[in-house]
């Protein structure tokens, strides 16, 4: 596989370094000339022009900032046999298709930042011009470092909150829980809470019990867990978490409309 990367930021670098099999050739372009000069020169990774990438790559990772897309319109319109894998937040398939040669195979993907530690979640939606082999090759970018799901594009705004933004919400919860106690060091508390969160997540995924049953398993009558859950309900924390998520989803919808109206 010859991999082309357009935009070499943190996420693109994380995706590249996570690949199970390093591409025999990797061509990288960044719109920032200074960053382009800083790209490490190796036998499998080299600076390239957009023309090089479109003509030589079999898979192209599009990872620039959405606002930079219009600057590249003329270059991206060239015919290519590559499958385009876009991780541009809020940019719909229809908009992407308007930038590339007609009938270009495109996959819209949304990986979240835990992909950097091989614990990510990636949501993908191929367009109608993407055949099974192209889809398979596109998904290879994420398979080794994340759980990959194929979902319809109309769910992407919701997914932005549930998967894209949620790691930051979990970090904030860990942070506040660690700060609420005064017996342990913050470092120790964060480690304990994070491991407990991992364990709870694995119970949800693997125990085959419902969430309600899992909660009951931890809760004994008049015990410590019930005391905390009662406070959780009394303070309407659940409703506040829902509002936090809805704000993220609403902003995702706004970004999508902005990118759609400013191609």
């Amino acid at each position: 596989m010859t991999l082309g990367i357009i935009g070499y930021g943190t996420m693109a670098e994380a995706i590249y370094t996570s690949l199970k099999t390093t591409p025999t050739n990797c061509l990288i372009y960044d719109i920032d000339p200074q960053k382009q000069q800083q790209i490490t020169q190796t036998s499998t990774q080299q600076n390239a022009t957009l023309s090089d990438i479109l003509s030589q790559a079999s898979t192209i990772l599009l990872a620039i900032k959405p606002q930079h897309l219009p600057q590249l319109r003329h270059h991206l319109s060239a015919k290519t046999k590559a499958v385009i894998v876009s991780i541009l937040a809020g940019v719909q398939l229809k908009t992407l298709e308007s930038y590339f040669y007609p009938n270009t195979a495109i996959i819209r993907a949304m990986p979240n930042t835990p992909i950097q530690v091989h614990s990510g979640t990636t949501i993908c939606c191929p367009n109608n011009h993407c055949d099974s082999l192209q889809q398979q090759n596109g998904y290879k970018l994420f398979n080794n470092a994340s759980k990959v799901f194929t979902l319809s594009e109309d769910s992407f705004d919701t997914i932005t909150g549930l998967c894209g933004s949620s790691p930051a919400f979990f970090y904030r919860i860990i942070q506040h829980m660690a700060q609420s106690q005064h017996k342990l060091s913050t470092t120790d508390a964060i480690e304990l809470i994070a491991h407990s969160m991992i364990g709870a997540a694995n119970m949800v995924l693997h125990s085959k019990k419902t969430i309600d049953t899992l909660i009951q398993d931890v809760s004994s009558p008049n015990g410590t867990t019930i005391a905390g859950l009662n406070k959780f309900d009394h303070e309407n924390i659940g409703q506040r978490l829902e509002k936090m998520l809805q704000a993220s989803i609403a902003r995702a919808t706004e970004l999508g409309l902005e990118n759609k109206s400013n191609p």
Side-chain angles (χ1 to χ4, degrees), residues 17-67:
T17 56
S18 74
L19 294 176
K20 187 174 183 179
T21 302
T22 303
T24 55
N25 192 23
C26 183
L27 307 173
I28 298 178
Y29 170 85
D30 196 277
I31 199 168
D32 181 355
Q34 185 174 0
K35 183 177 287 187
Q36 183 80 0
Q37 293 175 0
Q38 295 172 351
I39 295 174
T40 304
Q41 299 292 314
T42 70
S43 58
T44 60
Q45 187 174 323
Q46 57 183 287
N47 290 315
T49 65
L50 286 171
S51 296
D52 291 335
I53 291 175
L54 290 168
S55 62
Q56 299 177 35
S58 55
T59 302
I60 297 174
L61 176 64
L62 184 63
I64 59 175
K65 294 180 180 180
Q67 60 265 34

Side-chain angles (χ1 to χ4, degrees), residues 226-255:
I226 289 295
L229 289 173
N230 286 341
K231 179 61 69 172
F232 184 101
D233 294 337
H234 181 74
E235 299 293 338
N236 292 321
I237 294 175
Q239 292 182 13
R240 295 180 183 184
L241 290 175
E242 291 174 11
K243 289 180 179 179
M244 174 183 68
L245 180 61
Q246 290 302 323
S248 178
I249 294 172
R251 181 55 183 152
T253 301
E254 290 173 0
L255 288 172

Side-chain angles (χ1 to χ4, degrees), residues 1-262:
M1 178 176 72
T2 298
L3 174 63
I5 300 178
I6 303 175
Y8 200 63
T10 301
M11 186 62 80
E13 184 176 8
I15 292 169
Y16 174 76
T17 56
S18 74
L19 294 176
K20 187 174 183 179
T21 302
T22 303
T24 55
N25 192 23
C26 183
L27 307 173
I28 298 178
Y29 170 85
D30 196 277
I31 199 168
D32 181 355
Q34 185 174 0
K35 183 177 287 187
Q36 183 80 0
Q37 293 175 0
Q38 295 172 351
I39 295 174
T40 304
Q41 299 292 314
T42 70
S43 58
T44 60
Q45 187 174 323
Q46 57 183 287
N47 290 315
T49 65
L50 286 171
S51 296
D52 291 335
I53 291 175
L54 290 168
S55 62
Q56 299 177 35
S58 55
T59 302
I60 297 174
L61 176 64
L62 184 63
I64 59 175
K65 294 180 180 180
Q67 60 265 34
H68 291 159
L69 191 58
Q71 301 176 42
L72 305 181
R73 175 180 289 276
H74 174 71
H75 302 281
L76 296 178
S77 61
K79 188 173 184 178
T80 179
K81 295 181 179 179
V83 55
I84 310 297
V85 182
S86 168
I87 62 170
L88 275 59
V91 181
Q92 298 178 356
L93 284 171
K94 186 176 181 179
T95 300
L96 291 166
E97 288 170 346
S98 71
Y99 280 87
F100 289 93
Y101 193 84
N103 302 327
T104 297
I106 303 175
I107 298 173
R108 183 181 175 187
M110 183 185 297
N112 61 10
T113 55
I115 201 172
Q116 298 174 55
V117 291
H118 289 210
S119 295
T121 302
T122 302
I123 313 302
C124 293
C125 179
N127 72 351
N128 293 329
H129 307 300
C130 190
D131 63 35
S132 58
L133 180 58
Q134 290 169 320
Q135 179 176 319
Q136 180 181 348
N137 288 336
Y139 283 24
K140 284 180 181 178
L141 295 179
F142 311 106
N143 282 336
N144 197 47
S146 66
K147 178 72 174 179
V148 180
F149 298 84
T150 301
L151 295 173
S152 62
E153 191 173 30
D154 60 9
S155 65
F156 264 58
D157 290 344
T158 299
I159 292 165
T160 297
L162 289 176
C163 299
S165 299
S166 63
F169 305 155
F170 298 142
Y171 302 150
R172 185 63 64 85
I173 291 170
I174 291 172
Q175 184 183 55
H176 277 276
M177 289 180 70
Q179 292 173 348
S180 69
Q181 59 78 43
H182 305 287
K183 297 292 185 180
L184 303 175
S185 69
T186 300
T187 300
D188 287 343
I190 288 174
E191 186 170 6
L192 288 169
I193 297 164
H195 277 286
S196 296
M197 185 176 283
I198 292 171
N202 281 324
M203 288 290 288
V204 170
L205 292 173
H206 303 299
S207 72
K208 298 183 180 180
K209 295 182 178 181
T210 66
I211 298 290
D212 285 337
T213 300
L214 290 171
I215 292 172
Q216 292 171 10
D217 287 347
V218 187
S219 308
S220 56
N222 203 32
T224 59
T225 305
I226 289 295
L229 289 173
N230 286 341
K231 179 61 69 172
F232 184 101
D233 294 337
H234 181 74
E235 299 293 338
N236 292 321
I237 294 175
Q239 292 182 13
R240 295 180 183 184
L241 290 175
E242 291 174 11
K243 289 180 179 179
M244 174 183 68
L245 180 61
Q246 290 302 323
S248 178
I249 294 172
R251 181 55 183 152
T253 301
E254 290 173 0
L255 288 172
L257 292 174
E258 290 172 9
N259 288 317
K260 183 178 180 180
S261 61
N262 296 292

